[in-house]
Amino acid sequence: MKRLVFLTLAALLVVAALMPAAGAATAQEPIEINAWVAFSDYRLDWAKDVAAAFNAEYPQYNVVVTGGYTYEELFAQVTVAAEQGELPAIVQFFEAGTQDARDSGLFKSIQQAIGDRTEVNGIPTNFDDIVAPAREYYSLNGEFTSMPWNTSSALMFNNMTILNAAGIEEPPQTWADVDAACEAVMAMDSHPEYCFTFPNHGWFFEQWLAQQDALFVNNDNGRSDRATEVAFNSDAGVAVLNWLNDMYDKGYLYYSGAQGGDSWGTVDQAYQTQQVAMAAYSSSDTTLYTNMGKENGFETVASYLPYNQETGWTGNLIGGATMWLTDGLDPEVEDGALSFMLYMSNTENAAAWHQLTGYIAIRESANELLESEGWFEENPNQTVAADELANSTITPATSGALVGGFPAIRNVVTAAIDRVLLTDDDPASVLNDAADEANQIIEEYNLLNAPE
């Protein structure tokens, strides 16, 4: 009898040892990974859907995606969150925030975090598969700093129904072609109110500089050494403002007066309502602009962003954003964040993201998948941005600028463009004034952030 009691008690102790203690239940909860993104529309919905799929496949994690910001708003929000010790694990920063992100000390290079691993939680890293322009822009000091997600270039969207009616068979390639096309369009009896438009966002000025192989800032666009002053008040920069001013004075260019992030919507409306025949825009909305034509009875054809025929075309630079990894995370949180970033940009998701938006497919394998499925053949507008970047010559100018205080400098540039278009002030003088103001921003930034 005693032996039976002993065995029974021993069995109970074994069972008890195998049962989780009440206080250990939280250890089985998924690890929360917070990610902030700068979208508030269907792109945010897509990111949340991908997070849900990731969470289902990797139940040890719970990725929570929060959006509702613009790039600029998110940039400012990160500063506040850092001061309060409430940074998420992942932050989407636009390309203009790259130098600030590096200098902030808030983020960790993803290449450093991954180390020699070829996979994280079974998800391949395979950085060699990232398309070359993005790989060049975000590889700094020999390290991949952040994970590319949404990469774009600048295009021209052309209402070929209007252009054909004006006798224009092909989208314009140069500034002179735009001028000639606009002359023909505006000579029609049933011409639109204006000929073309663009968002007054600093990125377009940067694109037109890069096409001319001209630098935005010194020291090889901040790539051979820290940028200490701007270089945009060059002949190339003046040429951009002179061309825009000429188009405005002729009544060809529609300018709403909106600057920066506020200017995108005014261009959307003008193109959709056929107030203009052409719109310089980001390839990120290639799908949207193609569908605008289908839904409103006209044909949209995407083409390279027109360039200065006097200098020729060197190439265009990338836009968009990457996902940055916050430094100082617990190891299990860091691995979860890395896993999600790699998952979000895997071959299938990169292809799906491109199809939804028009951002280029960030992986070569995704482009091969789309090609094999006949996507590009059926949707020729979707090939233009990738072709434009692939055919660009990689120089310091086309690699894009790295400079502290970049968002503030962009505001200075858009204000200069606004001044040129709406006043009789000399473009060269205006650009020199903008350079002086921008140099003050850089000097103050470097005093606070540059290493001794």
Side-chain angles (χ1 to χ4, degrees), residues 32-325:
E32 186 156 304
I33 312 291
N34 287 297
W36 288 358
V37 302
F39 296 128
S40 58
D41 51 16
Y42 63 97
R43 295 170 294 186
L44 173 61
D45 295 337
W46 184 89
K48 288 183 174 181
D49 288 344
V50 171
F54 175 84
N55 293 339
E57 194 168 341
Y58 298 88
Q60 67 269 40
Y61 303 116
N62 179 40
V63 174
V64 179
V65 176
T66 302
Y69 310 98
T70 64
Y71 284 141
E72 292 81 6
E73 288 168 348
L74 182 53
F75 185 78
Q77 183 67 21
V78 165
T79 302
V80 175
E83 291 172 352
Q84 298 173 346
E86 297 178 352
L87 275 177
I90 301 169
V91 177
Q92 181 195 21
F93 258 8
F94 57 160
E95 91 290 1
T98 300
Q99 185 67 56
D100 294 68
R102 293 176 70 195
D103 291 335
S104 69
L106 301 175
F107 303 103
K108 185 176 186 179
S109 158
I110 59 169
Q111 192 155 350
Q112 179 187 349
I114 291 171
D116 295 332
R117 290 180 288 178
T118 58
E119 52 80 25
V120 181
N121 280 319
I123 307 173
T125 54
N126 198 9
F127 291 137
D128 290 341
D129 192 34
I130 303 295
V131 296
R135 196 167 64 240
E136 288 290 329
Y137 190 93
Y138 295 109
S139 292
L140 305 171
N141 299 330
E143 284 193 349
F144 228 105
T145 56
S146 51
M147 190 66 210
W149 172 28
N150 54 308
T151 295
S152 61
S153 190
L155 304 179
M156 183 79 102
F157 292 118
N158 305 274
N159 181 328
M160 292 309 298
T161 304
I162 294 177
L163 291 179
N164 287 166
I168 309 299
E169 298 300 323
E170 300 290 339
Q173 297 181 12
T174 67
W175 295 352
D177 292 341
V178 173
D179 192 4
C182 286
E183 183 178 6
V185 165
M186 300 307 285
M188 294 192 302
D189 291 337
S190 56
H191 63 77
E193 188 174 355
Y194 298 93
C195 179
F196 85 104
T197 188
F198 79 106
N200 186 11
H201 189 284
W203 186 56
F204 288 92
F205 178 80
E206 296 152 33
Q207 292 280 355
W208 281 312
L209 276 184
Q211 289 180 333
Q212 302 175 74
D213 202 25
L215 298 175
F216 188 78
V217 293
N218 67 346
N219 294 330
D220 295 319
N221 251 357
R223 293 182 175 274
S224 61
D225 200 356
R226 179 179 289 272
T228 58
E229 60 182 23
V230 299
F232 61 61
N233 55 329
S234 58
D235 289 344
V238 174
V240 175
L241 295 196
N242 278 331
W243 174 61
L244 292 174
N245 194 38
D246 182 51
M247 294 296 97
Y248 185 80
D249 287 346
K250 289 180 177 178
Y252 297 164
L253 172 64
Y254 167 63
Y255 174 57
S256 68
Q259 299 178 39
D262 293 335
S263 62
W264 299 96
T266 64
V267 173
D268 295 341
Q269 183 177 16
Y271 188 79
Q272 182 175 11
T273 60
Q274 302 188 72
Q275 187 180 4
V276 296
M278 297 174 286
Y281 209 80
S282 169
S283 65
S284 61
D285 280 330
T286 299
T287 301
L288 175 65
Y289 269 67
T290 302
N291 289 337
M292 276 185 190
K294 292 177 180 178
E295 294 166 2
N296 292 280
F298 62 89
E299 180 188 12
T300 292
V301 171
S303 62
Y304 286 15
L305 184 72
Y307 62 90
N308 183 357
Q309 66 283 346
E310 300 298 326
T311 60
W313 181 76
T314 302
N316 282 82
L317 47 83
I318 69 169
T322 53
M323 306 298 273
W324 287 79
L325 177 71

Side-chain angles (χ1 to χ4, degrees), residues 129-131 134 148-151 345-346 350 360-364 366-367:
D129 192 34
I130 303 295
V131 296
W149 172 28
N150 54 308
T151 295
S345 65
N346 67 22
I360 69 170
I362 200 66
R363 289 191 176 273
E364 296 291 358
N367 286 300

Side-chain angles (χ1 to χ4, degrees), residues 312-397:
W313 181 76
T314 302
N316 282 82
L317 47 83
I318 69 169
T322 53
M323 306 298 273
W324 287 79
L325 177 71
T326 298
D327 197 11
L329 299 172
D330 291 338
E332 62 272 18
V333 176
E334 180 174 288
D335 270 9
L338 288 169
S339 300
F340 178 65
M341 287 193 283
L342 292 167
Y343 180 89
M344 194 179 206
S345 65
N346 67 22
T347 299
E348 292 75 18
N349 283 331
W353 175 245
H354 161 79
Q355 290 175 306
L356 176 71
T357 60
Y359 285 109
I360 69 170
I362 200 66
R363 289 191 176 273
E364 296 291 358
S365 56
N367 286 300
E368 291 166 5
L369 174 63
L370 292 164
E371 184 75 36
S372 68
E373 293 177 344
W375 166 257
F376 292 126
E377 184 176 354
E378 295 173 8
N379 300 275
N381 281 348
Q382 301 285 5
T383 68
V384 178
D387 288 345
E388 183 179 66
L389 291 177
N391 290 323
S392 295
T393 301
I394 295 177
T395 70

